[in-house]
Amino acid sequence: MSTELLNQIAICVERGKVNQSAPFPPDMKGQDGADELTKKAIEDGIRADKILANGLVPGMESIGIKFRENRVFVPEVLMAAKAMTAGMNHLRPFFQSGEVKRKGTFIIGTVMGDLHDIGKNLLGMMVEGGGWEVIDLGIDVQSGKFIEALDEHPHAYVGLSCLLTTTMLNMEKIVLEISAQKPDTKILIGGAPVTEEFKNKIGAHWYSPDPQGAVEYLNAQQ
């Protein structure tokens, strides 16, 4: 029964079924969503870490792979993230109490001079859905703010995003300054103008054209 319930949670996340009253997706109208099913799983005595690992995470992984393969688009990913968040709201007390451990911490931000955040937000949702704590510094973030966050979370990974070619120089500057002050920090970069060649040029550790690639890289570091 627990396996079936966890599979239902995964499907709700993948399909973006937030709760019973949510009209999306139309073919699941009136059915329980990630909200109700996660609550039920807790009430049934399923451990929070198992709900995360076998329910919410597989759902986000599935939508992430579909997004990479252009089988779904940004609105579907956003709905999946909304469903994931509805489930995570029931699990957060277990994280806060220390009963369930996060895989690690991921600090993200759009680099200084760049005000775009859709890509960054998608990445943050996918990484959180993968079981990580996400520290979102927002947009137009200078290197000092990343370094301050690393002072508070010394073993965190860092993700830098940009959309404008004109802010790629700022991305390079931030990578160099983080590497100089926090040489053990792994830095991931992404955004429309960013390439593998640029990653190598500026000394970042990972580049992916899609959020799922970043999630897979982070999980491989465990």
Side-chain angles (χ1 to χ4, degrees), residues 15 17 19-33:
R15 299 291 311 283
K17 179 61 174 174
N19 53 38
Q20 189 180 69
S21 63
F24 182 87
D27 62 305
M28 298 179 73
K29 186 175 181 180
Q31 298 179 25
D32 284 344

Side-chain angles (χ1 to χ4, degrees), residues 75-142:
E76 288 93 335
V77 178
L78 291 174
M79 288 305 301
K82 192 172 181 181
M84 180 271 297
T85 299
M88 286 290 289
N89 286 338
H90 294 288
L91 301 187
R92 284 202 172 90
F94 298 93
F95 287 116
Q96 293 164 355
S97 70
E99 183 176 331
V100 178
K101 301 294 184 184
R102 299 275 197 178
K103 293 179 180 178
T105 303
F106 186 53
I107 299 166
I108 57 172
T110 303
V111 301
M112 60 181 178
D114 201 318
L115 305 180
H116 297 88
D117 65 357
I118 292 178
K120 171 188 66 66
N121 292 346
L122 278 177
L123 174 61
M125 293 170 184
M126 299 284 288
V127 172
E128 184 181 17
W132 291 72
E133 179 183 8
V134 174
I135 310 296
D136 188 345
L137 301 181
I139 58 175
D140 193 23
V141 184
Q142 299 186 18

